[in-house]
Amino acid sequence: LEMHYDQVFCFTPKGDLVALPKGATPVDFAYEVHSNIGNKCTGAKVNGRIVPLRVQLNNGDQVEIITSKSQVPSPVWENFVVTGKAKSEIKRFVRIQKREEYIKLGRRVFSKSAQETGIKEVEDKKLEKALETLRKKSVDDVYAAIGEGLIPPVEVIKSLYPNKKITTGK
């Protein structure tokens, strides 16, 4: 084996070789093996011993990744991973998760706003008609924008009911 000082060579429990950049951690190793293993990674054993996920791997280490179906990537991992693959997978996951939270929040905020203006319920079908006016591609985009605070719910209501007199504020 020719030595590359900017790389560490580690092994899977089955003996497969995994080359990683110097400074790589078990999380980098997990993502290198498979994105799903990275996403579900809860812990690691290096040379048979349980180690923290942020520990740096050394040449010749045998790395076993412990996974769980319920585990999701932690935004904290971004602070210590070194491979592009691990960084982008973690970022992607965090972005999707944030978006889902914004959509849920947006739905609640919008619904409350609609009720305050005397509108019982706005169906997604009705919202679809306002997408062009709101310059959004999907109903979820509208809710995400409301949840993130980018569009006031009243603006959405006005675009749905242009002739309705809307009184805001209490």
Side-chain angles (χ1 to χ4, degrees), residues 3 8 51 78 117 166:
M3 289 311 275
V8 289
V51 298
E78 249 189 279
T117 57
I166 295 166

Side-chain angles (χ1 to χ4, degrees), residues 21-115:
K22 211 171 202 36
T25 65
V27 177
D28 291 295
F29 182 94
Y31 277 108
E32 199 57 37
V33 172
H34 196 282
S35 324
N36 229 11
I37 292 175
N39 287 337
K40 300 290 173 203
C41 169
T42 56
K45 283 184 182 177
V46 174
N47 305 322
R49 289 199 335 272
I50 290 185
V51 298
L53 288 175
R54 63 177 42 225
V55 91
Q56 291 188 2
L57 299 172
N58 297 304
N59 254 333
D61 281 348
Q62 187 208 38
V63 184
E64 182 186 340
I65 301 298
I66 303 158
T67 60
S68 160
K69 282 189 179 86
S70 61
Q71 177 68 12
V72 294
S74 164
V76 174
W77 294 354
E78 249 189 279
N79 302 329
F80 59 78
V81 295
V82 296
T83 60
K85 185 175 184 182
K87 282 185 197 295
S88 68
E89 286 287 335
I90 295 163
K91 271 195 181 99
R92 194 177 134 266
F93 187 85
V94 169
R95 197 173 53 243
I96 290 166
Q97 205 175 29
K98 267 196 188 127
R99 178 176 160 77
E100 286 169 4
E101 285 168 24
Y102 283 140
I103 291 169
K104 277 187 204 146
L105 177 63
R107 276 183 187 276
R108 287 202 310 269
V109 169
F110 180 72
S111 171
K112 190 176 187 300
S113 249
Q115 285 169 355

Side-chain angles (χ1 to χ4, degrees), residues 106-147:
R107 276 183 187 276
R108 287 202 310 269
V109 169
F110 180 72
S111 171
K112 190 176 187 300
S113 249
Q115 285 169 355
E116 284 171 4
T117 57
I119 298 158
K120 289 276 177 276
E121 191 183 349
V122 177
E123 300 200 356
D124 285 1
K125 285 241 183 299
K126 177 128 180 110
L127 254 179
E128 280 171 15
K129 293 186 176 87
L131 290 178
E132 203 175 311
T133 315
L134 298 166
R135 292 200 284 286
K136 296 290 173 210
K137 287 185 174 69
S138 72
V139 170
D140 276 353
D141 287 350
V142 174
Y143 287 132
I146 293 170

